[in-house]
Amino acid sequence: MTATALPAEARAYLVGGAVRDALLGLPPGDRDWVVVGTDAEAMQAAGFRAVGADFPVFLHPDTGEEYALARTERKRGHGYTGFVVHADRGVTLEQDLARRDFTINAIAQAADGRLIDPLGGQADLEARWLRHCSPAFAEDPLRVLRGARFLARLAPLGFRLHDDTLALMRGMVEAGELAHLVPERVWQELRRALAAPRPSAFLQALRACGALAVVLPEVDALYGVPQRPEFHPEVDTGVHTEMVLDMAARLAPGDATLGFAALTHDLGKALTPAEALPRHPGHEHRGLAPLAALCARLKVPNAERQLATDVCREHLNVHRFAELRDATVLELLERCGGLRQPARIDRLALACEADKRGRKGFGETDYPQGRALRACRDAALAVQAKDVAREGLEGPALGAALRRARIAAIGAARARLAAG
């Protein structure tokens, strides 16, 4: 940032996550600035490009960083868009900071390095509290999801949700405010939480305030559902889902697509008939309908939807991989599109490994099934139609020959693995 690029009367302050993360010693991300003492016309005259549709935000002409005019907000309707925004030369930095969500996000830094912290954000950073800035927090239902998502990122550092903030979030849920959230924003917050180091904290926070039953009822229904303790010492299916999520984050940090598959792999267990419990026969197929409903409601993108469907349907097959016939292995690979998109098999293997290791006492368990699945995928891919083509062989006959050759290659790969 070059101060000379700003209007002469303006003062810019670094705000939000950039200040918070620097104080926590975390890697820097995007930098956001708030500007006081000027207006939109002066910003544009200085070369800044206006990009904000709902409030005055501008891009710096050289760095491309976002500069927002200091503003206040007044609630006028439901949801997170029902606000009247006021931004002019008279709005102070302190007024702008007061409208923010959490105290740890309401710290500003001046050009000389001085911190402006009117709400005690530094003290909350030290105490590891996630605390709301003011009662106005309750005016924006998206903040319930943002708070849970922040915990998914910051819980490994010891952060907890302050009791007063939890009570406020619970009141927002009880008032029905979350019903006004649009699916795209729910998915956006969920996806960012799934890419965080401890996504289980996202579920725990939402469940604590009652929001999980509103935004992810298919997942909320898993809590309290028992499993066989010899396979699942943690017993509770909801707890198991949390453990699988965290294991997926450990195996593939930042991979939200894998995280979504981990989140939804056992949805069918909430639908197991009571007389069958704690067994869950057929839960992998029973889970496909609630998974489809969740994906449709949140408008989940195709990549996440496809992998989650594959994992939900196939995770038991992968667990018992050694029992499958060679032809069945090829069919599994084909069902999952693994011969057209080989990377889908890598993620399927990782998701199944997370499921196996996401159990009490199983965190360091080896998972040879994943290696075997990948090896069979590679063996099948190595066989091409040109390798089996013979004079006069075409159409269905060529396809049958290719299939037989791939099954044989899968068998040979499994034999090599068995031989060590």
Side-chain angles (χ1 to χ4, degrees):
M1 193 269 292
T2 55
T4 55
L6 288 166
E9 71 279 9
R11 299 183 307 281
Y13 298 86
L14 188 65
V15 293
V19 180
R20 177 198 67 222
D21 291 348
L23 292 172
L24 288 172
L26 296 176
D30 293 337
R31 301 197 304 173
D32 294 317
W33 304 82
V34 65
V35 183
V36 299
T38 190
D39 55 32
E41 291 74 16
M43 290 291 286
Q44 289 177 297
F48 286 77
R49 181 164 62 89
V51 293
D54 301 318
F55 45 83
V57 178
F58 305 86
L59 296 183
H60 191 285
D62 299 323
T63 68
E65 293 177 336
E66 288 191 358
Y67 285 67
L69 292 184
R71 66 184 189 271
T72 59
E73 297 170 344
R74 180 170 54 85
K75 187 74 169 176
R76 69 174 179 186
H78 291 290
Y80 59 93
T81 59
F83 291 91
V84 174
V85 174
H86 174 68
D88 65 24
R89 294 171 179 265
V91 178
T92 67
L93 175 64
E94 289 73 16
Q95 286 176 314
D96 182 273
L97 294 176
R99 64 161 183 84
R100 294 175 182 268
D101 49 10
F102 300 101
T103 60
I104 63 172
N105 296 332
I107 308 170
Q109 185 176 40
D112 60 4
R114 177 174 53 93
L115 295 178
I116 298 90
D117 180 20
L119 301 173
Q122 293 176 88
D124 284 342
L125 283 175
E126 290 292 328
R128 296 307 197 244
W129 283 124
L130 189 66
R131 186 201 308 256
H132 63 285
C133 287
S134 76
F137 179 96
E139 297 177 349
D140 184 355
L142 189 64
R143 288 175 168 175
V144 173
L145 300 186
R146 280 174 56 82
R149 189 249 297 170
F150 277 128
L151 285 177
R153 181 170 184 244
L154 297 176
L157 299 179
F159 277 82
R160 303 95 67 210
L161 196 60
H162 195 277
D163 290 345
D164 294 343
T165 303
L166 177 59
L168 195 58
M169 290 166 60
R170 189 177 292 120
M172 296 165 69
V173 174
E174 292 171 354
E177 276 291 317
L178 271 64
H180 301 285
L181 293 173
V182 299
E184 292 85 354
R185 297 306 297 269
V186 175
W187 169 249
Q188 183 181 49
E189 294 298 325
L190 172 59
R191 194 178 196 286
R192 294 178 73 178
L194 293 172
R198 193 178 295 173
S200 63
F202 179 80
L203 297 187
Q204 292 163 359
L206 291 184
R207 189 162 178 256
C209 69
L212 190 63
V214 178
V215 296
L216 293 171
E218 299 87 353
V219 177
D220 186 69
L222 296 174
Y223 287 89
V225 176
Q227 302 167 109
R228 294 172 65 182
E230 63 268 35
F231 299 117
H232 288 276
E234 70 283 354
V235 180
D236 190 294
T237 306
V239 174
H240 168 60
T241 299
E242 292 178 4
M243 297 177 73
V244 175
L245 274 175
D246 288 349
M247 182 57 67
R250 173 181 162 186
L251 294 174
D255 190 338
T257 302
L258 181 69
F260 183 68
L263 175 70
T264 57
H265 79 286
D266 266 351
L267 293 184
K269 288 184 176 178
L271 302 176
T272 299
E275 61 271 17
L277 296 174
R279 298 175 63 251
H280 293 275
H283 76 273
E284 68 275 24
H285 298 293
R286 198 175 283 120
L288 294 174
L291 172 59
L294 189 159
C295 289
R297 186 177 69 253
L298 297 188
K299 301 181 181 179
V300 175
N302 284 338
E304 283 81 1
R305 183 190 305 241
Q306 287 174 348
L307 180 66
T309 300
D310 291 344
V311 172
C312 181
R313 186 186 62 239
E314 306 292 351
H315 66 278
L316 290 190
N317 283 330
V318 179
H319 290 338
R320 57 175 180 247
F321 196 75
E323 303 171 18
L324 302 183
R325 296 181 297 112
D326 296 339
T328 304
V329 171
L330 179 60
E331 291 165 3
L332 186 157
L333 293 170
E334 291 172 336
R335 279 197 304 274
C336 296
L339 302 184
R340 292 179 288 103
Q341 299 180 51
R344 287 172 62 175
I345 299 303
D346 293 316
R347 275 189 165 135
L348 172 62
L350 278 176
C352 293
E353 181 176 352
D355 178 32
K356 180 66 174 182
R357 295 173 61 182
R359 311 177 192 204
K360 187 177 180 181
F362 283 72
E364 303 306 320
T365 302
D366 188 29
Y367 194 68
Q369 297 96 318
R371 295 191 295 275
L373 177 62
R374 294 184 185 95
C376 290
R377 182 266 322 269
D378 294 343
L381 279 174
V383 180
Q384 300 296 318
K386 62 182 178 57
D387 301 322
V388 298
R390 298 191 296 272
E391 186 176 350
L393 200 61
E394 59 183 22
L398 178 61
L402 177 61
R403 178 177 178 78
R404 288 192 299 271
R406 283 178 165 167
I407 292 171
I410 287 171
R414 300 175 85 181
R416 288 192 296 273
L417 286 172

